[in-house]
Amino acid sequence: MTLSNVLLVARREMLQIVKLRSFLLTLLILPVALAIGPILGDSLRKAEPTRVTVIDRSDGDGAKALEARFAFDEARELLGELSRYVQRYDLQAADPKAPWAQHGRWYGPADVAAFEASGGLDAALEKIDRVRPEGVPLFEPPVADYRFVAPPSGLAQNEGADFAEAARKLVADDKDKTKPEILVLIPQGYPADTRIAIYSADEVRGSFVGKLQEVLTADLRTRLLAQSGVTGERAALVQNIAPNIAIDTPPPGGGATERLLVRSIVPLALSYILMMSLMLSGSWMLQGSIEERSNKLIESLLACISPEELMYGKLLGGLVVGLLMLSVWAGCAGIAAFATQGAIADLIRPALEPISSPGIIAAIIFFFVAGYVGISAIFVAIGSMADSMSEAQGFMMPVILLILLPITFLLQAIIAGNDGPLVQVLTWVPLWSPFAVLARLGMGIETWELIGTGILLVVWIAAELVLIARLFRASLLAAGQRPTLAKVIQRIRRPEEAG
Amino acid sequence: MPVLEIHNLVKRFDTVLAVDDLSFSVEAGEIFGFLGGNGAGKTTTLRMVLDILRPTSGTISLLGAPPSRRVASAIGFLPEERGLYGAMTAIETIVYFGRLKGMDEALARRRGMELLERFDLAERAKSKIGDMSKGMAQKVQLATALVNEPELLMLDEPFSGLDPVNQGLLEDEILRASERGAAVIFSTHVMQHAERLCDRLLLLKKGRKRFEGTLAEARALLPARLDAVAKADLAKLPGVSEAAASPTDDPDWQAWSLRFAPGVEPGQVLQHCTEQGIVLRRWEHHRASLHDVFVQLVGDEEIKP
């Protein structure tokens, strides 16, 4: 076998694929999708709070209490988010005594009151900005879930069935952005009449109903306590008494599940990219092989080079295409990280941590290349047997399912932090071990497992290439023959006699 | 030393004996016709010479060595079933095949352009094969076989599918290669091309050699036929194996249709007539055609007009 011939075939294969429009499109689709994804995600996320109107016919403080409770919860959420931000970027020096600089507890009314008394978010950000290092992104406050709006004029005048009809019509009108989406009616007979009506065109979230129930229950309890002679501070104490909850968790990004996810991002992406680029380049390689067979140019090629040179050239060409795709995508990720510095770089730093040692980099390259060669060889064998793309797809479908289905389960298992029997089995079966090993690098894989699976993979690929080379040689000139299983076995066992 | 020597070559596929104890040789500068019907073993033999298939037994010596890709640089091959990469340009295709045969890129490009100019395709050098007509693509494929100026040029059914103009171009290239000193082997079942071009022929039937020799030797395999008009009884002439007489307008003269035993030269019989004073009005000798020989040896079901 001559290396120069292998390289010539590889170069031609690579150029043929690279010049395809579908290749360029595919190359661009992933970065574009990744760039558009967050924008789309943002646009899909509910950007505006849900509008709520409370009509309180009881002349009590129900509506005000509700509004105050929602406002408090939003302030607490904002405080919590700000605290996580400050903790993540170590910005406590901005005001060590501020509640948002003290992270170890569940914020209560006193914290929220102190936060608001000290000027709220604007004042906090002003202080934080003074100590915020360059590259640390700005704080993005959460969007409030609900906004209370005044009832439309005339609505409250309706009674009974007319009110219900008017309320339903009102919440169903999703074009007018001033009208409420949720309407709560506290009846005139409240608290004797405890039937609270909620009107909405969509399903109302459990958290909303829960909060509503909590506020009104507290109101009912206060009234009941008053009737029992418990009033003033004592009644308030009964209502507000709550345990002081301390929370001890690692800083954001440092929790076990979160850390595992962050550490697994790049390894999982590598496994996914290997799978995707294999499927794509496998399909292009198949097209090339079928063109050679259907255009009857195999014999001209075999007059110049051996079937083995042709096969290895195809594998090498496919591998170069795969590495090219990986490089372009990695390059795009690098550019994105550089361009956005703060957010992505902050995520990438811990994500790159598990794969930054030279040994692991060598393992990544080895398993990527080995996975590519091992699976591409199967596609090349299929290409050598099929006379048309439809015939090839008949062989491809079961092979793709055999490869992809277990990998789908594998990736899900690794995202869930599960390294049970399925993951172990897939690690040691050479067909899947490149994907499993790459995906497991984030959660940690023993060195002996890396070496063991690597040796097994090399042995498998060597045996596979010998057998596929026989099949390839015997199949190339056997145009027009339907390759039955018996025929395939005969070609592998005695390639010289297979007709 | 012959360019190609084959001894006792056998190729078996499963239960099918494709080539059966075949021996022949081809010298430099010789045009060798490889004739036989479908399934006679022509393509299988050529594939063994190219090392695409391995013989079951027997030996092949190509320029003094067994077939291998190392001698690919000395071979030019045009397969029966032709095709090229549709997305490659004409010149890229020729250069690619030239490089696969071990040529330097610059030399392959220069020779490729020379061939395209000779084939009147220089202006289409950068056209994609997929954009060319079938005839143009066939010329490009011929150029891929010739780019390395091979010492052995093998053409498998080269004239099939070619229009008369391209058939003439191919005949010119075969003669040009032979004049350059290349051994040319082409398989065909179109007898006119073989008669016009071949120095020697080999006839195959079901993998077995039926004949090897020159065109004259092939013709001599069949008895000569002769039409004559004479007063004498020509059936008694020496060497005549069959004779049939029929009357003419003149009752004194008879028209004779004669067949001679193999190896008998009609010229010798004419000399005998002259010496014996046998008066002849007509002496028309019909030589056996290669077509007749082919039909006799291989059968007429495989022949193309």
Side-chain angles (χ1 to χ4, degrees):
Chain A
M1 196 166 64
T2 316
L3 182 64
S4 61
N5 284 345
V6 174
L7 294 176
L8 272 172
V9 174
R11 182 171 172 267
R12 201 211 69 78
E13 288 285 325
M14 188 200 72
L15 286 176
Q16 171 152 328
I17 294 174
V18 167
K19 284 178 186 171
L20 288 173
R21 271 195 209 108
S22 58
F23 173 78
L24 291 173
L25 276 175
T26 310
L27 210 56
L28 291 175
I29 280 172
L30 190 73
V32 168
L34 287 178
I36 292 175
I39 300 166
L40 271 180
D42 281 348
S43 67
L44 290 173
R45 208 178 297 150
K46 190 168 173 58
E48 292 202 357
T50 305
R51 295 179 298 279
V52 180
T53 289
V54 182
I55 297 176
D56 187 354
R57 288 186 166 152
S58 70
D59 293 332
D61 292 333
K64 278 184 190 163
L66 266 175
E67 203 167 331
R69 172 60 192 275
F70 275 88
F72 168 75
D73 282 353
E74 273 156 22
R76 178 162 59 186
E77 193 193 344
L78 173 66
L79 188 56
E81 287 292 315
L82 186 63
S83 166
R84 283 171 66 79
Y85 167 78
V86 166
Q87 191 180 13
R88 167 172 273 188
Y89 297 109
D90 199 19
L91 302 168
Q92 293 86 338
D95 183 358
K97 287 183 182 169
W100 40 262
Q102 297 161 19
H103 318 294
R105 65 171 186 274
W106 182 246
Y107 292 114
D111 296 311
V112 173
F115 174 58
E116 285 177 346
S118 65
L121 181 64
D122 291 343
L125 290 180
E126 208 177 304
K127 288 177 186 171
I128 289 168
D129 266 351
R130 282 188 218 123
V131 298
R132 185 166 59 88
E134 203 176 322
V136 170
L138 289 170
F139 174 71
E140 284 185 24
V143 176
D145 288 333
Y146 300 98
R147 180 163 65 89
F148 284 78
V149 295
S153 58
L155 175 68
Q157 276 75 50
N158 294 310
E159 295 288 344
D162 290 344
F163 178 84
E165 196 181 331
R168 284 189 199 108
K169 203 180 279 179
L170 189 69
V171 294
D173 181 5
D174 57 355
K175 284 177 188 158
D176 188 342
K177 299 296 177 196
T178 62
K179 289 182 178 170
E181 293 160 272
I182 297 175
L183 199 149
V184 180
L185 175 68
I186 301 173
Q188 198 169 11
Y190 181 84
D193 181 1
T194 55
R195 290 172 302 167
I196 308 296
I198 299 175
Y199 297 90
S200 173
D202 297 313
E203 197 177 337
V204 181
R205 273 187 267 173
S207 58
F208 178 86
V209 180
K211 224 174 275 185
L212 177 74
Q213 195 172 31
E214 213 175 288
V215 170
L216 296 179
T217 304
D219 180 54
L220 289 172
R221 277 192 194 130
T222 306
R223 289 171 194 257
L224 204 58
L225 284 169
Q227 282 171 16
S228 309
V230 183
T231 55
E233 272 185 31
R234 191 78 190 152
L237 186 65
V238 171
Q239 286 295 357
N240 295 329
I241 192 161
N244 191 8
I245 299 170
I247 301 169
D248 187 348
T249 60
T257 313
E258 205 173 345
R259 194 172 67 232
L260 177 69
L261 261 180
V262 171
R263 286 171 63 89
S264 291
I265 283 175
V266 176
L268 283 170
L270 278 171
S271 183
Y272 186 72
I273 285 175
L274 172 63
M275 182 175 81
M276 217 162 68
S277 53
L278 257 174
M279 293 302 133
L280 292 167
S281 67
S283 154
W284 291 319
M285 281 162 72
L286 210 59
Q287 278 180 28
S289 295
I290 287 163
E291 185 193 7
E292 280 162 3
R293 279 172 72 85
S294 60
N295 279 3
K296 317 283 183 196
L297 56 82
I298 275 291
E299 211 172 350
S300 301
L301 285 171
L302 295 184
C304 308
I305 53 170
S306 69
E308 288 78 12
E309 286 168 346
L310 183 61
M311 186 182 90
Y312 286 118
K314 284 176 175 296
L315 286 177
L316 185 61
L319 176 63
V320 172
V321 169
L323 291 174
L324 188 68
M325 288 162 86
L326 178 68
S327 310
V328 170
W329 290 337
C332 288
I335 291 168
F338 182 76
T340 56
Q341 288 191 357
I344 295 181
D346 187 57
L347 182 75
I348 282 177
R349 218 173 296 122
L352 288 176
E353 205 176 280
I355 56 160
S356 52
S357 78
I360 294 294
I361 291 171
I364 288 172
I365 295 171
F366 168 78
F367 281 97
F368 194 91
V369 170
Y372 223 95
V373 172
I375 307 253
S376 297
I378 297 173
F379 295 148
V380 166
I382 291 172
S384 73
M385 290 190 292
D387 286 325
S388 66
M389 207 55 198
S390 60
E391 196 179 319
Q393 273 159 356
F395 295 112
M396 280 282 276
M397 282 313 290
V399 172
I400 285 179
L401 283 179
L402 184 71
I403 297 169
L404 286 193
L405 274 183
I407 294 170
T408 314
F409 298 134
L410 169 87
L411 296 183
Q412 280 172 357
I414 287 172
I415 288 169
N418 178 0
D419 62 350
L422 174 78
V423 175
Q424 294 298 328
V425 168
L426 294 180
T427 304
W428 286 94
V429 178
L431 186 64
W432 300 299
S433 62
F435 304 97
V437 170
L438 285 175
R440 283 183 63 193
L441 288 175
M443 67 188 337
I445 182 166
E446 299 287 339
T447 310
W448 67 269
E449 276 189 288
L450 273 181
I451 295 170
T453 51
I455 291 170
L456 200 61
L457 194 57
V458 168
V459 172
W460 177 67
I461 289 173
E464 184 197 14
L465 289 181
V466 168
L467 297 179
I468 285 181
R470 289 177 173 199
L471 180 65
F472 192 75
R473 172 181 266 274
S475 300
L476 282 181
L477 295 172
Q481 296 179 16
R482 190 171 171 74
T484 58
L485 185 63
K487 201 83 190 165
V488 169
I489 292 169
Q490 191 202 9
R491 285 176 188 173
I492 290 174
R493 289 179 61 192
R494 289 176 295 164
E496 292 305 331
E497 289 181 22
Chain B
M1 183 181 68
V3 173
L4 176 66
E5 264 186 297
I6 286 177
H7 288 291
N8 308 111
L9 193 67
V10 174
K11 179 65 191 176
R12 187 182 289 280
F13 295 107
D14 263 343
T15 54
V16 178
L17 187 59
V19 176
D20 182 10
D21 197 26
L22 180 65
S23 299
F24 67 91
S25 64
V26 188
E27 299 286 338
E30 193 175 23
I31 301 177
F32 190 81
F34 209 44
L35 313 184
N38 293 326
K42 306 185 298 286
T43 301
T44 302
T45 305
L46 296 183
R47 285 178 178 175
M48 283 190 280
V49 174
L50 289 165
D51 198 32
I52 295 174
L53 293 175
R54 302 269 160 80
T56 306
S57 66
T59 59
I60 300 171
S61 170
L62 190 59
L63 298 163
S68 75
R69 297 307 184 291
R70 261 168 287 175
V71 288
S73 58
I75 299 177
F77 176 62
L78 187 71
E80 179 181 6
E81 292 185 319
R82 278 157 240 159
L84 296 167
Y85 294 106
M88 284 174 91
T89 65
I91 188 66
E92 274 175 359
T93 304
I94 299 170
V95 171
Y96 179 60
F97 278 92
R99 294 198 69 196
L100 288 180
K101 292 174 187 182
M103 290 177 78
D104 168 59
E105 182 170 353
L107 178 63
R109 193 169 291 278
R110 185 168 57 76
R111 293 243 185 97
M113 283 311 299
E114 285 168 9
L115 283 162
L116 289 176
E117 272 168 33
R118 209 154 78 208
F119 296 166
D120 207 19
L121 276 179
E123 285 179 7
R124 302 298 300 268
K126 289 183 180 170
S127 297
K128 286 186 178 172
I129 299 292
D131 297 334
M132 288 181 155
S133 69
K134 193 178 170 191
M136 287 176 183
Q138 282 175 331
K139 285 195 226 176
V140 174
Q141 183 136 25
L142 178 61
T144 66
L146 295 170
V147 65
N148 55 328
E149 294 192 345
E151 291 178 64
L152 174 63
L153 179 62
M154 296 201 290
L155 313 162
D156 194 2
E157 299 287 353
F159 296 100
S160 68
L162 292 186
D163 61 40
V165 176
N166 281 341
Q167 286 188 13
L169 183 140
L170 180 58
E171 283 192 14
D172 290 345
E173 287 303 322
I174 289 173
L175 292 170
R176 187 191 289 264
S178 164
E179 282 161 16
R180 187 172 46 77
V184 182
I185 301 177
F186 73 87
S187 73
T188 186
H189 43 211
V190 183
M191 296 303 122
Q192 290 92 324
H193 296 300
E195 274 181 324
R196 254 200 313 269
L197 293 167
C198 292
D199 299 317
R200 282 196 308 128
L201 307 157
L202 187 147
L203 260 72
L204 270 180
K205 184 178 184 182
K206 292 182 179 167
R208 224 181 154 76
K209 182 163 76 176
R210 288 306 177 98
F211 168 79
E212 184 188 357
T214 63
L215 186 60
E217 286 167 345
R219 283 172 169 158
L221 289 176
L222 293 188
R225 194 168 60 79
L226 194 110
D227 290 329
V229 175
K231 282 184 177 173
D233 182 0
L234 298 185
K236 290 175 182 167
L237 287 173
V240 171
S241 59
E242 284 176 40
S246 54
T248 63
D249 293 341
D250 187 337
D252 294 334
W253 296 85
Q254 278 190 304
W256 290 90
S257 177
L258 305 173
R259 282 186 186 277
F260 296 96
V264 174
E265 259 299 305
Q268 291 169 351
V269 183
L270 178 62
Q271 186 183 343
H272 173 81
C273 291
T274 311
E275 285 167 359
Q276 297 301 314
I278 297 171
V279 183
L280 298 165
R281 268 191 178 174
R282 187 178 167 204
W283 184 263
E284 195 176 350
H285 177 200
H286 301 284
R287 294 170 68 88
S289 69
L290 192 55
H291 179 277
D292 300 329
V293 178
F294 190 96
V295 170
Q296 180 71 26
L297 296 180
V298 176
D300 59 358
E301 71 274 16
E302 302 290 3
I303 204 159
K304 277 191 177 178

